[in-house]
Amino acid sequence: MEPGQITREWLESLDVAEFIKIASMIHDIQREREEARHRKLEERRRGGSRAREKAHRGRSLQLERVKCGKEGCKKCSGEQPELHGPYWYLYRPKKSGEGRTSEYIGKMLPEELAREFGVPEDERRLG
Ligand SMILES: [Zn+2]
């Protein structure tokens, strides 16, 4: 896709899985930027020390439910929205060493990740 060609029509033509993937990535980027901003403020407050954060760096696997944002979506609206998913997400440190990035894995956890994180066979496939 060329820059400038992202239109509302294009977004609306995506199937739910694609749309959720894109929405999730945007959500992640926003969250990462927000976290980065907080971290900078924190660092400034603590005089530039990042030692504590480094100790928590590493990859982690998470299950998350997401919003598709479609108007009238039964899963996303109501008093107790059920949302879509859950989907697997892999969080890992960024190459720059600043913050974490998340990768959308989907409903099926690949063998390699499952083994690395010790996820039992019957919990790998969701939904
Ligand atoms: Zn929805």
Side-chain angles (χ1 to χ4, degrees):
M1 164 145 341
E2 300 288 323
Q5 284 195 328
I6 297 169
T7 62
R8 194 187 163 107
E9 285 72 24
W10 175 73
L11 284 171
E12 284 179 346
S13 73
L14 295 171
D15 67 45
V16 171
E18 287 175 314
F19 188 88
I20 285 173
K21 187 169 176 174
I22 290 170
S24 303
M25 288 194 287
I26 290 172
H27 176 77
D28 288 339
I29 290 169
Q30 287 173 331
R31 185 172 48 192
E32 282 164 19
R33 287 180 178 168
E34 186 65 18
E35 280 176 9
R37 229 183 42 209
H38 276 278
R39 217 167 22 244
K40 272 189 192 134
L41 286 173
E42 270 293 294
E43 276 170 31
R44 218 167 292 159
R45 212 172 297 154
R46 283 185 300 183
S49 165
R50 276 160 54 187
R52 202 177 60 85
E53 276 145 21
K54 272 190 181 129
H56 292 282
R57 295 252 166 95
R59 300 154 85 228
S60 69
L61 211 48
Q62 278 180 36
L63 282 174
E64 290 180 18
R65 290 184 173 272
V66 293
K67 228 175 175 167
C68 76
K70 262 189 193 164
E71 203 179 322
C73 173
K74 285 191 185 118
K75 284 192 170 180
C76 295
S77 52
E79 283 192 15
Q80 283 182 314
E82 180 198 344
L83 304 183
H84 299 266
Y87 301 105
W88 290 106
Y89 284 83
L90 178 67
Y91 285 82
R92 61 191 146 151
K94 279 189 180 173
K95 286 202 180 86
S96 65
E98 276 285 320
R100 293 195 311 165
T101 184
S102 73
E103 186 188 333
Y104 171 85
I105 305 292
K107 282 189 180 275
M108 182 68 192
L109 191 63
E111 180 75 29
E112 212 181 290
L113 283 174
R115 231 182 290 145
E116 185 185 337
F117 288 91
V119 179
E121 197 102 37
D122 58 340
E123 291 173 23
R124 294 175 190 178
R125 182 181 273 283
L126 306 163

